[in-house]
Amino acid sequence: MTTTDYLPGLARAFALLGRRWNGLILAALAHGPAGFGQLRERVPGISDRMLADRLHELTGTGLVTRTVIPGPPTRSHYALTEHGKAFVIPLAALAVWGAEHLLPRTGQQDRTSSGV
């Protein structure tokens, strides 16, 4: 394969990761399925609205599943699909690379504590 053969897949991967919070949500789900509140705790700084929007997007990509648990109150449970689980290895490699080769931004919380 030539370099140009990788470009379409790479473009799709970076389009997904380029959306703020997506990578961190996937990393949070790599630690196991979680409810909405648990995910909010695993991804510090994300608003409820943003988390809901990103989870909707990630379920649409086929990387995350949503299971509705009847209530009251009605709750949602999120987990990685097989495609999402396959993404954990490159996501972990990217996290290691970022920790080793990129300096933390000044004045910003280092989100590596959420880990992969």
Side-chain angles (χ1 to χ4, degrees):
M1 289 184 96
T2 66
T3 303
T4 56
D5 294 332
Y6 294 108
L7 292 180
L10 192 59
R12 287 192 305 274
F14 277 109
L16 176 75
L17 287 176
R19 305 257 316 160
R20 188 168 184 200
W21 303 107
N22 280 350
L24 295 175
I25 293 167
L26 292 170
L29 286 171
H31 293 285
F36 189 89
Q38 291 170 309
L39 281 173
R40 192 178 49 231
E41 291 173 8
R42 291 181 190 178
V43 185
I46 193 168
S47 70
D48 287 356
R49 173 70 182 191
M50 182 62 69
L51 180 57
D53 287 348
R54 292 299 184 248
L55 285 168
H56 181 75
E57 177 182 8
L58 291 169
T59 57
T61 65
L63 297 175
V64 173
T65 61
R66 175 181 178 233
T67 303
V68 176
I69 302 165
T74 302
R75 294 169 298 170
S76 294
H77 190 258
Y78 298 91
L80 293 177
T81 64
E82 289 304 312
H83 292 295
K85 290 175 185 175
F87 190 61
V88 171
I89 292 171
L91 189 62
L94 188 59
V96 169
W97 179 84
E100 292 178 356
H101 299 284
L102 297 176
L103 296 174
R105 290 191 216 166
T106 56
Q108 296 232 345
Q109 175 186 2
D110 183 9
R111 291 193 170 89
T112 57
S113 61
S114 63
V116 174

